Amino acid sequence: EPEVTQTPSHQVTQMGQEVILRCVPISNHLYFYWYRQILGQKVEFLVSFYNNEISEKSEIFDDQFSVERPDGSNFTLKIRSTKLEDSAMYFCASSEEAVYNSPLHFGNGTRLTVT
Amino acid sequence: AQTVTQSQPEMSVQEAETVTLSCTYDTSENNYYLFWYKQPPSRQMILVIRQEAYKQQNATENRFSVNFQKAAKSFSLKISDSQLGDTAMYFCAFRLYTSGSRLTFGEGTQLTVNP
């Protein structure tokens, strides 16, 4: 079964540094998402992306965040200047959306630790 | 805005027994989906079961079934014949019947299946 792939599985970075989290969605999927989960808390929506542009973003997704689909397969989340509170698990997801009933498929997540 | 509430932070059950996890939600919309996701210690997000709001029949997937009460805005998950591998965090989630719409998650219920 096709999978959403995320790399790296764990990233450690220093406060103030830029970090890029990478995702390869399922190949025939049209919508892409980023979610984050701070340890012990609920999963929170960050952004959705369709047709090479952001379709929706949450209040968490401020100017420090950006997303890009640089080629036909990768979908990236960039945090420009990381803060301690950005430490979290970041999940990429994709959905087919050929029909409304298509569920989100999640990757295994990238654990980001900001020191 | 939609909200999802899971009022049971932790639950436990003996192997082979049945357990029910509760979820309530709030929305003014009429067309939406509801989901249960499982997150084992590996932190992967796995879809367990989904329900379309326009369907009156409760969804079932093998040992997993839901009790969907639309008027009460309640969506509980029943796990029958619990197995040790069911030990995980379970998240209830809501999604509008719109392409690319976000998933809104509840706080989660940590389920432990005891031998």
Side-chain angles (χ1 to χ4, degrees), chain A residues 41-105:
Chain A
Q41 298 186 22
K42 69 166 72 175
V43 180
E44 300 173 293
F45 169 78
L46 292 178
V47 65
S48 59
F49 191 86
Y50 170 72
N51 200 26
N52 284 319
E53 60 183 25
I54 291 173
S55 56
E56 187 182 4
K57 61 182 180 179
S58 72
E59 56 280 359
I60 302 169
F61 193 88
D62 60 22
D63 292 344
Q64 291 299 309
F65 292 89
S66 63
V67 289
E68 194 178 30
R69 188 156 163 82
D71 52 42
S73 59
N74 290 286
F75 178 53
T76 62
L77 174 69
K78 182 193 291 187
I79 308 175
R80 287 191 181 80
S81 177
T82 50
K83 303 189 272 286
L84 293 176
E85 53 265 38
D86 292 327
S87 293
M89 195 78 161
Y90 288 81
F91 291 100
C92 174
S94 67
S95 63
E96 187 177 0
E97 300 293 343
V99 292
Y100 286 108
N101 199 12
S102 59
L104 269 65
H105 295 258

Side-chain angles (χ1 to χ4, degrees), chain B residues 18-79:
Chain B
T18 296
V19 65
T20 299
L21 309 183
S22 300
C23 172
T24 58
Y25 60 95
D26 190 29
T27 183
S28 57
E29 302 290 335
N30 196 45
N31 295 319
Y32 49 87
Y33 300 102
L34 295 162
F35 304 85
W36 279 97
Y37 279 87
K38 167 184 176 181
Q39 187 180 44
S42 64
R43 305 286 300 269
Q44 186 183 5
M45 294 291 287
I46 302 166
L47 177 65
V48 175
I49 197 166
R50 62 186 174 188
Q51 174 80 40
E52 292 90 342
Y54 64 86
K55 288 188 178 177
Q56 292 187 340
Q57 186 173 7
N58 289 322
T60 62
E61 287 287 342
N62 301 313
R63 299 183 294 107
F64 299 88
S65 61
V66 299
N67 183 5
F68 173 48
Q69 301 290 328
K70 191 172 183 180
K73 294 180 182 172
S74 168
F75 183 62
S76 60
L77 174 69
K78 185 170 84 171
I79 306 174

Side-chain angles (χ1 to χ4, degrees), chain B residues 57-105:
Chain B
Q57 186 173 7
N58 289 322
T60 62
E61 287 287 342
N62 301 313
R63 299 183 294 107
F64 299 88
S65 61
V66 299
N67 183 5
F68 173 48
Q69 301 290 328
K70 191 172 183 180
K73 294 180 182 172
S74 168
F75 183 62
S76 60
L77 174 69
K78 185 170 84 171
I79 306 174
S80 304
D81 186 26
S82 298
Q83 300 175 0
L84 296 178
D86 295 333
T87 292
M89 181 73 90
Y90 286 81
F91 291 98
C92 179
F94 172 102
R95 190 181 187 205
L96 286 175
Y97 193 80
T98 305
S99 285
S101 60
R102 67 172 75 180
L103 271 175
T104 300
F105 287 88

